[in-house]
Amino acid sequence: MSSASYTQLSREELWERVRRAQKHLESCRLCPRECAVDRRQSRGFCRAGASAVVSSFGPHFGEERVLVGTGGSGTIFFAHCNLRCVFCQNYQLSQGGEGTSVTAEQLAVLMLTIQDRYRCPNINLVTPTHFVPQILEAVALAVERGLRIPLVYNCGGYESVEVLRLLAGVVDIYMPDLKYSSGELSRSYSQAPDYFEKAALALREMDRQVGGLKVGEDGTAKRGLLIRHLVLPGALEDTKRVLEFIQGELPPDCLVNLMDQYYPSYRAFEYPELSRRVSRREFREAWEYAESLGLRLAR
Ligand code: SF4
């Protein structure tokens, strides 16, 4: 089994990253919201505190084929979220904060369990942005005990470039959403009018670090960029702008997962346009447009 990039970092370098990331717990700017709260005493937009909160973990077979392999992708779902989308399908975790507080030591044990007991091909960190310091510390602890499988940074795309730089050489696979191009949509649904501007910078930084998606002989991803876009009802033109950005600004070998599984959830029924599923015609048009741009689509 090939080893993840973080095994090449020196112990000192890894712990230095931990220390720099932990400074955010005193005045949090882990994401573009830049709440500047002391996470040990209060909460910012995402409502996360000083300890990581894990909602669930274990092999997951519903992820992209290149992440699943034979053992399933080794997911660790974190509670809370820096986007809190009104249509969130995991709102009990993202908004309700359901889960268990864990220490970095316990998180390290989870990572090693995923590798050694479940034999998953990767550790899939779901909604990790607000827990980067705790994740880095857990990786630093786990690598000393033999952690070697790639980390998947499975995020909403609303990321700080400065924080992503702390993850360079630590994360091998970036899997961001690119949810919207329109500031109106991102303002209405995620309270983030600058979503696209920040996500565009973040995805360029991810590309700089890892490039297009490389798949090993066993069929699982080893390194690179995999972008998800959930097609929303009535937002086909926005989907097209998102796809054009990917085609124009990112490498042709990044993998794009165009997703059709939207269903109204959480507060979606407060928005008439979000109160239905995406029609087959809408999704087919989005797919054909992506194909016409020559994107590498996950199937
Ligand atoms: S991670 Fe949370 S507290 Fe920190 S800046 Fe982002 S939303 Fe605010």
PDB file of all heavy atoms in Angstrom, residues 66 174-176 178 203-204 206-207 210-215 223-228 242-243 245-257 294-298:
ATOM      1  N   VAL A  66     -14.214   5.763  -6.537  1.00  0.00           N
ATOM      2  CA  VAL A  66     -12.754   5.850  -6.347  1.00  0.00           C
ATOM      3  C   VAL A  66     -12.356   5.998  -4.874  1.00  0.00           C
ATOM      4  O   VAL A  66     -11.176   5.894  -4.539  1.00  0.00           O
ATOM      5  CB  VAL A  66     -12.118   7.015  -7.145  1.00  0.00           C
ATOM      6  CG1 VAL A  66     -12.117   6.741  -8.632  1.00  0.00           C
ATOM      7  CG2 VAL A  66     -12.787   8.347  -6.824  1.00  0.00           C
ATOM      8  N   TYR A 174      -8.448  16.291  -1.881  1.00  0.00           N
ATOM      9  CA  TYR A 174      -9.427  17.328  -1.536  1.00  0.00           C
ATOM     10  C   TYR A 174     -10.728  17.010  -2.265  1.00  0.00           C
ATOM     11  O   TYR A 174     -10.733  16.783  -3.480  1.00  0.00           O
ATOM     12  CB  TYR A 174      -8.926  18.704  -1.969  1.00  0.00           C
ATOM     13  CG  TYR A 174      -7.891  19.293  -1.036  1.00  0.00           C
ATOM     14  CD1 TYR A 174      -6.551  19.324  -1.382  1.00  0.00           C
ATOM     15  CD2 TYR A 174      -8.271  19.828   0.197  1.00  0.00           C
ATOM     16  CE1 TYR A 174      -5.598  19.870  -0.530  1.00  0.00           C
ATOM     17  CE2 TYR A 174      -7.330  20.379   1.056  1.00  0.00           C
ATOM     18  CZ  TYR A 174      -5.997  20.399   0.693  1.00  0.00           C
ATOM     19  OH  TYR A 174      -5.070  20.941   1.550  1.00  0.00           O
ATOM     20  N   MET A 175     -11.818  17.028  -1.500  1.00  0.00           N
ATOM     21  CA  MET A 175     -13.137  16.792  -2.103  1.00  0.00           C
ATOM     22  C   MET A 175     -14.086  17.914  -1.675  1.00  0.00           C
ATOM     23  O   MET A 175     -14.955  17.728  -0.815  1.00  0.00           O
ATOM     24  CB  MET A 175     -13.686  15.423  -1.711  1.00  0.00           C
ATOM     25  CG  MET A 175     -14.982  15.124  -2.439  1.00  0.00           C
ATOM     26  SD  MET A 175     -15.440  13.380  -2.451  1.00  0.00           S
ATOM     27  CE  MET A 175     -15.694  13.064  -0.725  1.00  0.00           C
ATOM     28  N   PRO A 176     -13.911  19.116  -2.264  1.00  0.00           N
ATOM     29  CA  PRO A 176     -14.800  20.217  -1.906  1.00  0.00           C
ATOM     30  C   PRO A 176     -16.093  20.168  -2.720  1.00  0.00           C
ATOM     31  O   PRO A 176     -16.111  19.689  -3.847  1.00  0.00           O
ATOM     32  CB  PRO A 176     -13.986  21.445  -2.327  1.00  0.00           C
ATOM     33  CG  PRO A 176     -13.216  20.952  -3.526  1.00  0.00           C
ATOM     34  CD  PRO A 176     -12.882  19.502  -3.231  1.00  0.00           C
ATOM     35  N   LEU A 178     -18.593  22.553  -4.816  1.00  0.00           N
ATOM     36  CA  LEU A 178     -18.676  23.905  -5.369  1.00  0.00           C
ATOM     37  C   LEU A 178     -20.168  24.109  -5.571  1.00  0.00           C
ATOM     38  O   LEU A 178     -20.763  23.659  -6.543  1.00  0.00           O
ATOM     39  CB  LEU A 178     -17.866  24.027  -6.668  1.00  0.00           C
ATOM     40  CG  LEU A 178     -17.723  25.448  -7.215  1.00  0.00           C
ATOM     41  CD1 LEU A 178     -17.217  26.435  -6.167  1.00  0.00           C
ATOM     42  CD2 LEU A 178     -16.802  25.492  -8.422  1.00  0.00           C
ATOM     43  N   LEU A 203     -10.310  26.455  -4.167  1.00  0.00           N
ATOM     44  CA  LEU A 203     -10.122  25.344  -5.119  1.00  0.00           C
ATOM     45  C   LEU A 203      -8.838  25.508  -5.923  1.00  0.00           C
ATOM     46  O   LEU A 203      -8.169  24.525  -6.246  1.00  0.00           O
ATOM     47  CB  LEU A 203     -11.336  25.207  -6.043  1.00  0.00           C
ATOM     48  CG  LEU A 203     -12.396  24.206  -5.532  1.00  0.00           C
ATOM     49  CD1 LEU A 203     -13.028  24.633  -4.224  1.00  0.00           C
ATOM     50  CD2 LEU A 203     -13.460  23.953  -6.586  1.00  0.00           C
ATOM     51  N   ARG A 204      -8.475  26.746  -6.217  1.00  0.00           N
ATOM     52  CA  ARG A 204      -7.192  26.956  -6.913  1.00  0.00           C
ATOM     53  C   ARG A 204      -6.025  26.531  -6.013  1.00  0.00           C
ATOM     54  O   ARG A 204      -5.056  25.956  -6.467  1.00  0.00           O
ATOM     55  CB  ARG A 204      -7.050  28.425  -7.326  1.00  0.00           C
ATOM     56  CG  ARG A 204      -7.942  28.805  -8.490  1.00  0.00           C
ATOM     57  CD  ARG A 204      -7.547  30.184  -9.044  1.00  0.00           C
ATOM     58  NE  ARG A 204      -8.542  30.680  -9.950  1.00  0.00           N
ATOM     59  CZ  ARG A 204      -9.438  31.649  -9.661  1.00  0.00           C
ATOM     60  NH1 ARG A 204      -9.431  32.208  -8.468  1.00  0.00           N
ATOM     61  NH2 ARG A 204     -10.312  32.040 -10.557  1.00  0.00           N
ATOM     62  N   MET A 206      -6.192  24.263  -3.616  1.00  0.00           N
ATOM     63  CA  MET A 206      -6.216  22.788  -3.549  1.00  0.00           C
ATOM     64  C   MET A 206      -5.563  22.210  -4.796  1.00  0.00           C
ATOM     65  O   MET A 206      -4.772  21.267  -4.713  1.00  0.00           O
ATOM     66  CB  MET A 206      -7.669  22.299  -3.440  1.00  0.00           C
ATOM     67  CG  MET A 206      -8.349  22.672  -2.145  1.00  0.00           C
ATOM     68  SD  MET A 206     -10.110  22.239  -2.198  1.00  0.00           S
ATOM     69  CE  MET A 206     -10.683  22.971  -0.663  1.00  0.00           C
ATOM     70  N   ASP A 207      -5.869  22.778  -5.945  1.00  0.00           N
ATOM     71  CA  ASP A 207      -5.261  22.319  -7.204  1.00  0.00           C
ATOM     72  C   ASP A 207      -3.743  22.504  -7.146  1.00  0.00           C
ATOM     73  O   ASP A 207      -2.983  21.617  -7.544  1.00  0.00           O
ATOM     74  CB  ASP A 207      -5.880  23.106  -8.369  1.00  0.00           C
ATOM     75  CG  ASP A 207      -5.125  22.876  -9.666  1.00  0.00           C
ATOM     76  OD1 ASP A 207      -4.693  21.733  -9.887  1.00  0.00           O
ATOM     77  OD2 ASP A 207      -4.970  23.840 -10.442  1.00  0.00           O
ATOM     78  N   VAL A 210      -2.406  19.585  -4.934  1.00  0.00           N
ATOM     79  CA  VAL A 210      -2.549  18.151  -5.283  1.00  0.00           C
ATOM     80  C   VAL A 210      -2.841  17.872  -6.757  1.00  0.00           C
ATOM     81  O   VAL A 210      -2.723  16.721  -7.192  1.00  0.00           O
ATOM     82  CB  VAL A 210      -3.649  17.475  -4.405  1.00  0.00           C
ATOM     83  CG1 VAL A 210      -3.262  17.493  -2.945  1.00  0.00           C
ATOM     84  CG2 VAL A 210      -5.016  18.126  -4.616  1.00  0.00           C
ATOM     85  N   GLY A 211      -3.277  18.862  -7.535  1.00  0.00           N
ATOM     86  CA  GLY A 211      -3.553  18.664  -8.966  1.00  0.00           C
ATOM     87  C   GLY A 211      -4.749  17.761  -9.221  1.00  0.00           C
ATOM     88  O   GLY A 211      -5.579  17.533  -8.334  1.00  0.00           O
ATOM     89  N   GLY A 212      -4.810  17.251 -10.459  1.00  0.00           N
ATOM     90  CA  GLY A 212      -5.934  16.383 -10.856  1.00  0.00           C
ATOM     91  C   GLY A 212      -5.916  15.070 -10.089  1.00  0.00           C
ATOM     92  O   GLY A 212      -4.933  14.733  -9.415  1.00  0.00           O
ATOM     93  N   LEU A 213      -7.011  14.308 -10.199  1.00  0.00           N
ATOM     94  CA  LEU A 213      -7.148  13.102  -9.365  1.00  0.00           C
ATOM     95  C   LEU A 213      -6.369  11.923  -9.950  1.00  0.00           C
ATOM     96  O   LEU A 213      -6.577  11.543 -11.098  1.00  0.00           O
ATOM     97  CB  LEU A 213      -8.619  12.726  -9.227  1.00  0.00           C
ATOM     98  CG  LEU A 213      -8.874  11.722  -8.100  1.00  0.00           C
ATOM     99  CD1 LEU A 213      -8.795  12.401  -6.743  1.00  0.00           C
ATOM    100  CD2 LEU A 213     -10.211  11.034  -8.270  1.00  0.00           C
ATOM    101  N   LYS A 214      -5.470  11.369  -9.099  1.00  0.00           N
ATOM    102  CA  LYS A 214      -4.680  10.201  -9.512  1.00  0.00           C
ATOM    103  C   LYS A 214      -5.244   8.957  -8.813  1.00  0.00           C
ATOM    104  O   LYS A 214      -5.455   8.967  -7.601  1.00  0.00           O
ATOM    105  CB  LYS A 214      -3.214  10.367  -9.079  1.00  0.00           C
ATOM    106  CG  LYS A 214      -2.337  11.139 -10.052  1.00  0.00           C
ATOM    107  CD  LYS A 214      -2.599  12.618 -10.133  1.00  0.00           C
ATOM    108  CE  LYS A 214      -1.888  13.475  -9.126  1.00  0.00           C
ATOM    109  NZ  LYS A 214      -2.291  14.922  -9.204  1.00  0.00           N
ATOM    110  N   VAL A 215      -5.449   7.919  -9.611  1.00  0.00           N
ATOM    111  CA  VAL A 215      -6.043   6.682  -9.091  1.00  0.00           C
ATOM    112  C   VAL A 215      -4.987   5.579  -9.176  1.00  0.00           C
ATOM    113  O   VAL A 215      -4.291   5.461 -10.189  1.00  0.00           O
ATOM    114  CB  VAL A 215      -7.301   6.323  -9.916  1.00  0.00           C
ATOM    115  CG1 VAL A 215      -7.897   4.990  -9.475  1.00  0.00           C
ATOM    116  CG2 VAL A 215      -8.350   7.431  -9.787  1.00  0.00           C
ATOM    117  N   ARG A 223      -4.423  10.674  -4.687  1.00  0.00           N
ATOM    118  CA  ARG A 223      -4.087  12.084  -4.507  1.00  0.00           C
ATOM    119  C   ARG A 223      -4.850  12.888  -5.547  1.00  0.00           C
ATOM    120  O   ARG A 223      -5.100  12.401  -6.652  1.00  0.00           O
ATOM    121  CB  ARG A 223      -2.574  12.251  -4.725  1.00  0.00           C
ATOM    122  CG  ARG A 223      -2.026  13.636  -4.427  1.00  0.00           C
ATOM    123  CD  ARG A 223      -0.495  13.583  -4.491  1.00  0.00           C
ATOM    124  NE  ARG A 223       0.073  14.924  -4.490  1.00  0.00           N
ATOM    125  CZ  ARG A 223       0.289  15.651  -3.397  1.00  0.00           C
ATOM    126  NH1 ARG A 223      -0.010  15.162  -2.210  1.00  0.00           N
ATOM    127  NH2 ARG A 223       0.817  16.861  -3.485  1.00  0.00           N
ATOM    128  N   GLY A 224      -5.229  14.106  -5.195  1.00  0.00           N
ATOM    129  CA  GLY A 224      -5.825  14.981  -6.197  1.00  0.00           C
ATOM    130  C   GLY A 224      -7.142  15.593  -5.768  1.00  0.00           C
ATOM    131  O   GLY A 224      -7.542  15.514  -4.601  1.00  0.00           O
ATOM    132  N   LEU A 225      -7.768  16.171  -6.753  1.00  0.00           N
ATOM    133  CA  LEU A 225      -8.953  17.006  -6.531  1.00  0.00           C
ATOM    134  C   LEU A 225     -10.187  16.345  -7.136  1.00  0.00           C
ATOM    135  O   LEU A 225     -10.176  15.948  -8.302  1.00  0.00           O
ATOM    136  CB  LEU A 225      -8.680  18.370  -7.192  1.00  0.00           C
ATOM    137  CG  LEU A 225      -9.691  19.487  -7.061  1.00  0.00           C
ATOM    138  CD1 LEU A 225     -10.024  19.787  -5.603  1.00  0.00           C
ATOM    139  CD2 LEU A 225      -9.136  20.758  -7.734  1.00  0.00           C
ATOM    140  N   LEU A 226     -11.219  16.260  -6.317  1.00  0.00           N
ATOM    141  CA  LEU A 226     -12.515  15.699  -6.716  1.00  0.00           C
ATOM    142  C   LEU A 226     -13.559  16.721  -6.279  1.00  0.00           C
ATOM    143  O   LEU A 226     -13.658  17.008  -5.084  1.00  0.00           O
ATOM    144  CB  LEU A 226     -12.697  14.364  -5.996  1.00  0.00           C
ATOM    145  CG  LEU A 226     -13.748  13.362  -6.440  1.00  0.00           C
ATOM    146  CD1 LEU A 226     -13.593  12.067  -5.657  1.00  0.00           C
ATOM    147  CD2 LEU A 226     -15.158  13.861  -6.309  1.00  0.00           C
ATOM    148  N   ILE A 227     -14.296  17.257  -7.235  1.00  0.00           N
ATOM    149  CA  ILE A 227     -15.238  18.342  -6.900  1.00  0.00           C
ATOM    150  C   ILE A 227     -16.664  17.822  -6.998  1.00  0.00           C
ATOM    151  O   ILE A 227     -17.024  17.158  -7.971  1.00  0.00           O
ATOM    152  CB  ILE A 227     -15.066  19.521  -7.883  1.00  0.00           C
ATOM    153  CG1 ILE A 227     -13.629  20.025  -7.838  1.00  0.00           C
ATOM    154  CG2 ILE A 227     -16.046  20.651  -7.562  1.00  0.00           C
ATOM    155  CD1 ILE A 227     -13.273  20.920  -9.015  1.00  0.00           C
ATOM    156  N   ARG A 228     -17.466  18.163  -5.994  1.00  0.00           N
ATOM    157  CA  ARG A 228     -18.881  17.779  -6.012  1.00  0.00           C
ATOM    158  C   ARG A 228     -19.741  19.005  -6.296  1.00  0.00           C
ATOM    159  O   ARG A 228     -19.470  20.086  -5.758  1.00  0.00           O
ATOM    160  CB  ARG A 228     -19.292  17.233  -4.645  1.00  0.00           C
ATOM    161  CG  ARG A 228     -18.797  15.839  -4.375  1.00  0.00           C
ATOM    162  CD  ARG A 228     -19.152  15.457  -2.953  1.00  0.00           C
ATOM    163  NE  ARG A 228     -19.065  14.020  -2.748  1.00  0.00           N
ATOM    164  CZ  ARG A 228     -19.263  13.442  -1.565  1.00  0.00           C
ATOM    165  NH1 ARG A 228     -19.549  14.175  -0.500  1.00  0.00           N
ATOM    166  NH2 ARG A 228     -19.180  12.131  -1.441  1.00  0.00           N
ATOM    167  N   VAL A 242     -20.977  27.236 -12.660  1.00  0.00           N
ATOM    168  CA  VAL A 242     -20.061  26.456 -11.818  1.00  0.00           C
ATOM    169  C   VAL A 242     -19.207  25.532 -12.694  1.00  0.00           C
ATOM    170  O   VAL A 242     -17.975  25.456 -12.552  1.00  0.00           O
ATOM    171  CB  VAL A 242     -20.864  25.630 -10.770  1.00  0.00           C
ATOM    172  CG1 VAL A 242     -20.000  24.540 -10.144  1.00  0.00           C
ATOM    173  CG2 VAL A 242     -21.428  26.550  -9.692  1.00  0.00           C
ATOM    174  N   LEU A 243     -19.866  24.849 -13.627  1.00  0.00           N
ATOM    175  CA  LEU A 243     -19.147  23.906 -14.507  1.00  0.00           C
ATOM    176  C   LEU A 243     -18.156  24.651 -15.398  1.00  0.00           C
ATOM    177  O   LEU A 243     -17.046  24.163 -15.647  1.00  0.00           O
ATOM    178  CB  LEU A 243     -20.151  23.105 -15.346  1.00  0.00           C
ATOM    179  CG  LEU A 243     -21.103  22.207 -14.529  1.00  0.00           C
ATOM    180  CD1 LEU A 243     -22.181  21.612 -15.432  1.00  0.00           C
ATOM    181  CD2 LEU A 243     -20.342  21.097 -13.810  1.00  0.00           C
ATOM    182  N   PHE A 245     -16.602  27.380 -14.639  1.00  0.00           N
ATOM    183  CA  PHE A 245     -15.445  27.737 -13.811  1.00  0.00           C
ATOM    184  C   PHE A 245     -14.481  26.552 -13.709  1.00  0.00           C
ATOM    185  O   PHE A 245     -13.263  26.706 -13.863  1.00  0.00           O
ATOM    186  CB  PHE A 245     -15.893  28.171 -12.405  1.00  0.00           C
ATOM    187  CG  PHE A 245     -14.742  28.294 -11.448  1.00  0.00           C
ATOM    188  CD1 PHE A 245     -13.937  29.434 -11.444  1.00  0.00           C
ATOM    189  CD2 PHE A 245     -14.423  27.250 -10.574  1.00  0.00           C
ATOM    190  CE1 PHE A 245     -12.846  29.529 -10.584  1.00  0.00           C
ATOM    191  CE2 PHE A 245     -13.332  27.344  -9.716  1.00  0.00           C
ATOM    192  CZ  PHE A 245     -12.545  28.482  -9.726  1.00  0.00           C
ATOM    193  N   ILE A 246     -15.039  25.383 -13.453  1.00  0.00           N
ATOM    194  CA  ILE A 246     -14.178  24.188 -13.309  1.00  0.00           C
ATOM    195  C   ILE A 246     -13.410  23.954 -14.614  1.00  0.00           C
ATOM    196  O   ILE A 246     -12.203  23.713 -14.606  1.00  0.00           O
ATOM    197  CB  ILE A 246     -15.032  22.950 -12.943  1.00  0.00           C
ATOM    198  CG1 ILE A 246     -15.673  23.141 -11.564  1.00  0.00           C
ATOM    199  CG2 ILE A 246     -14.181  21.680 -12.973  1.00  0.00           C
ATOM    200  CD1 ILE A 246     -16.707  22.087 -11.187  1.00  0.00           C
ATOM    201  N   GLN A 247     -14.123  24.064 -15.715  1.00  0.00           N
ATOM    202  CA  GLN A 247     -13.470  23.811 -17.007  1.00  0.00           C
ATOM    203  C   GLN A 247     -12.401  24.860 -17.310  1.00  0.00           C
ATOM    204  O   GLN A 247     -11.336  24.546 -17.820  1.00  0.00           O
ATOM    205  CB  GLN A 247     -14.536  23.804 -18.109  1.00  0.00           C
ATOM    206  CG  GLN A 247     -14.024  23.314 -19.439  1.00  0.00           C
ATOM    207  CD  GLN A 247     -13.919  24.425 -20.468  1.00  0.00           C
ATOM    208  OE1 GLN A 247     -14.266  25.573 -20.189  1.00  0.00           O
ATOM    209  NE2 GLN A 247     -13.425  24.083 -21.641  1.00  0.00           N
ATOM    210  N   GLY A 248     -12.676  26.107 -16.959  1.00  0.00           N
ATOM    211  CA  GLY A 248     -11.769  27.188 -17.315  1.00  0.00           C
ATOM    212  C   GLY A 248     -10.587  27.357 -16.375  1.00  0.00           C
ATOM    213  O   GLY A 248      -9.526  27.820 -16.773  1.00  0.00           O
ATOM    214  N   GLU A 249     -10.764  26.982 -15.105  1.00  0.00           N
ATOM    215  CA  GLU A 249      -9.762  27.349 -14.088  1.00  0.00           C
ATOM    216  C   GLU A 249      -9.051  26.168 -13.436  1.00  0.00           C
ATOM    217  O   GLU A 249      -8.072  26.362 -12.730  1.00  0.00           O
ATOM    218  CB  GLU A 249     -10.438  28.153 -12.970  1.00  0.00           C
ATOM    219  CG  GLU A 249     -11.159  29.395 -13.440  1.00  0.00           C
ATOM    220  CD  GLU A 249     -10.213  30.553 -13.712  1.00  0.00           C
ATOM    221  OE1 GLU A 249      -9.127  30.577 -13.107  1.00  0.00           O
ATOM    222  OE2 GLU A 249     -10.567  31.414 -14.534  1.00  0.00           O
ATOM    223  N   LEU A 250      -9.583  24.984 -13.625  1.00  0.00           N
ATOM    224  CA  LEU A 250      -9.011  23.835 -12.907  1.00  0.00           C
ATOM    225  C   LEU A 250      -8.536  22.775 -13.902  1.00  0.00           C
ATOM    226  O   LEU A 250      -8.948  22.798 -15.066  1.00  0.00           O
ATOM    227  CB  LEU A 250     -10.050  23.277 -11.917  1.00  0.00           C
ATOM    228  CG  LEU A 250     -10.415  24.280 -10.808  1.00  0.00           C
ATOM    229  CD1 LEU A 250     -11.614  23.834 -10.010  1.00  0.00           C
ATOM    230  CD2 LEU A 250      -9.220  24.543  -9.884  1.00  0.00           C
ATOM    231  N   PRO A 251      -7.674  21.860 -13.464  1.00  0.00           N
ATOM    232  CA  PRO A 251      -7.076  20.935 -14.434  1.00  0.00           C
ATOM    233  C   PRO A 251      -8.119  19.969 -15.011  1.00  0.00           C
ATOM    234  O   PRO A 251      -9.077  19.600 -14.326  1.00  0.00           O
ATOM    235  CB  PRO A 251      -6.033  20.177 -13.603  1.00  0.00           C
ATOM    236  CG  PRO A 251      -6.461  20.331 -12.200  1.00  0.00           C
ATOM    237  CD  PRO A 251      -7.193  21.624 -12.099  1.00  0.00           C
ATOM    238  N   PRO A 252      -7.920  19.574 -16.281  1.00  0.00           N
ATOM    239  CA  PRO A 252      -8.908  18.714 -16.935  1.00  0.00           C
ATOM    240  C   PRO A 252      -9.039  17.338 -16.284  1.00  0.00           C
ATOM    241  O   PRO A 252     -10.047  16.666 -16.471  1.00  0.00           O
ATOM    242  CB  PRO A 252      -8.386  18.584 -18.376  1.00  0.00           C
ATOM    243  CG  PRO A 252      -6.980  19.071 -18.344  1.00  0.00           C
ATOM    244  CD  PRO A 252      -6.819  19.961 -17.162  1.00  0.00           C
ATOM    245  N   ASP A 253      -8.020  16.938 -15.510  1.00  0.00           N
ATOM    246  CA  ASP A 253      -8.116  15.615 -14.880  1.00  0.00           C
ATOM    247  C   ASP A 253      -8.631  15.665 -13.446  1.00  0.00           C
ATOM    248  O   ASP A 253      -8.577  14.666 -12.722  1.00  0.00           O
ATOM    249  CB  ASP A 253      -6.778  14.866 -14.958  1.00  0.00           C
ATOM    250  CG  ASP A 253      -5.621  15.680 -14.387  1.00  0.00           C
ATOM    251  OD1 ASP A 253      -5.800  16.902 -14.180  1.00  0.00           O
ATOM    252  OD2 ASP A 253      -4.545  15.100 -14.151  1.00  0.00           O
ATOM    253  N   CYS A 254      -9.165  16.820 -13.000  1.00  0.00           N
ATOM    254  CA  CYS A 254      -9.860  16.757 -11.707  1.00  0.00           C
ATOM    255  C   CYS A 254     -11.213  16.074 -11.971  1.00  0.00           C
ATOM    256  O   CYS A 254     -11.797  16.232 -13.040  1.00  0.00           O
ATOM    257  CB  CYS A 254     -10.005  18.118 -11.041  1.00  0.00           C
ATOM    258  SG  CYS A 254     -11.111  19.251 -11.819  1.00  0.00           S
ATOM    259  N   LEU A 255     -11.639  15.290 -11.006  1.00  0.00           N
ATOM    260  CA  LEU A 255     -12.876  14.523 -11.189  1.00  0.00           C
ATOM    261  C   LEU A 255     -14.054  15.366 -10.690  1.00  0.00           C
ATOM    262  O   LEU A 255     -13.969  16.002  -9.639  1.00  0.00           O
ATOM    263  CB  LEU A 255     -12.772  13.210 -10.408  1.00  0.00           C
ATOM    264  CG  LEU A 255     -13.840  12.159 -10.675  1.00  0.00           C
ATOM    265  CD1 LEU A 255     -13.748  11.650 -12.121  1.00  0.00           C
ATOM    266  CD2 LEU A 255     -13.680  10.973  -9.719  1.00  0.00           C
ATOM    267  N   VAL A 256     -15.141  15.353 -11.446  1.00  0.00           N
ATOM    268  CA  VAL A 256     -16.317  16.140 -11.074  1.00  0.00           C
ATOM    269  C   VAL A 256     -17.481  15.189 -10.838  1.00  0.00           C
ATOM    270  O   VAL A 256     -17.830  14.396 -11.714  1.00  0.00           O
ATOM    271  CB  VAL A 256     -16.683  17.139 -12.196  1.00  0.00           C
ATOM    272  CG1 VAL A 256     -17.924  17.948 -11.813  1.00  0.00           C
ATOM    273  CG2 VAL A 256     -15.504  18.065 -12.488  1.00  0.00           C
ATOM    274  N   ASN A 257     -18.061  15.273  -9.649  1.00  0.00           N
ATOM    275  CA  ASN A 257     -19.256  14.480  -9.363  1.00  0.00           C
ATOM    276  C   ASN A 257     -20.461  15.413  -9.405  1.00  0.00           C
ATOM    277  O   ASN A 257     -20.666  16.230  -8.502  1.00  0.00           O
ATOM    278  CB  ASN A 257     -19.143  13.800  -7.997  1.00  0.00           C
ATOM    279  CG  ASN A 257     -20.314  12.861  -7.741  1.00  0.00           C
ATOM    280  OD1 ASN A 257     -21.194  12.717  -8.597  1.00  0.00           O
ATOM    281  ND2 ASN A 257     -20.339  12.245  -6.584  1.00  0.00           N
ATOM    282  N   GLY A 294     -16.252  18.930 -21.726  1.00  0.00           N
ATOM    283  CA  GLY A 294     -15.136  17.979 -21.683  1.00  0.00           C
ATOM    284  C   GLY A 294     -14.685  17.653 -20.269  1.00  0.00           C
ATOM    285  O   GLY A 294     -13.548  17.230 -20.058  1.00  0.00           O
ATOM    286  N   LEU A 295     -15.557  17.837 -19.275  1.00  0.00           N
ATOM    287  CA  LEU A 295     -15.153  17.558 -17.888  1.00  0.00           C
ATOM    288  C   LEU A 295     -15.021  16.057 -17.665  1.00  0.00           C
ATOM    289  O   LEU A 295     -15.711  15.250 -18.303  1.00  0.00           O
ATOM    290  CB  LEU A 295     -16.186  18.147 -16.914  1.00  0.00           C
ATOM    291  CG  LEU A 295     -16.329  19.665 -16.942  1.00  0.00           C
ATOM    292  CD1 LEU A 295     -17.407  20.114 -15.960  1.00  0.00           C
ATOM    293  CD2 LEU A 295     -15.004  20.355 -16.622  1.00  0.00           C
ATOM    294  N   ARG A 296     -14.140  15.702 -16.725  1.00  0.00           N
ATOM    295  CA  ARG A 296     -13.986  14.287 -16.337  1.00  0.00           C
ATOM    296  C   ARG A 296     -15.043  14.024 -15.268  1.00  0.00           C
ATOM    297  O   ARG A 296     -14.915  14.444 -14.119  1.00  0.00           O
ATOM    298  CB  ARG A 296     -12.577  14.092 -15.770  1.00  0.00           C
ATOM    299  CG  ARG A 296     -12.280  12.683 -15.306  1.00  0.00           C
ATOM    300  CD  ARG A 296     -10.893  12.671 -14.645  1.00  0.00           C
ATOM    301  NE  ARG A 296     -10.549  11.378 -14.092  1.00  0.00           N
ATOM    302  CZ  ARG A 296      -9.544  11.181 -13.242  1.00  0.00           C
ATOM    303  NH1 ARG A 296      -8.781  12.196 -12.845  1.00  0.00           N
ATOM    304  NH2 ARG A 296      -9.279   9.981 -12.770  1.00  0.00           N
ATOM    305  N   LEU A 297     -16.099  13.325 -15.663  1.00  0.00           N
ATOM    306  CA  LEU A 297     -17.243  13.160 -14.761  1.00  0.00           C
ATOM    307  C   LEU A 297     -17.194  11.815 -14.048  1.00  0.00           C
ATOM    308  O   LEU A 297     -16.898  10.788 -14.664  1.00  0.00           O
ATOM    309  CB  LEU A 297     -18.547  13.263 -15.563  1.00  0.00           C
ATOM    310  CG  LEU A 297     -18.854  14.667 -16.119  1.00  0.00           C
ATOM    311  CD1 LEU A 297     -19.991  14.601 -17.134  1.00  0.00           C
ATOM    312  CD2 LEU A 297     -19.229  15.608 -14.973  1.00  0.00           C
ATOM    313  N   ALA A 298     -17.506  11.841 -12.752  1.00  0.00           N
ATOM    314  CA  ALA A 298     -17.621  10.590 -11.995  1.00  0.00           C
ATOM    315  C   ALA A 298     -18.917   9.899 -12.418  1.00  0.00           C
ATOM    316  O   ALA A 298     -19.954  10.558 -12.521  1.00  0.00           O
ATOM    317  CB  ALA A 298     -17.659  10.907 -10.500  1.00  0.00           C
TER     318      ALA A 298
END
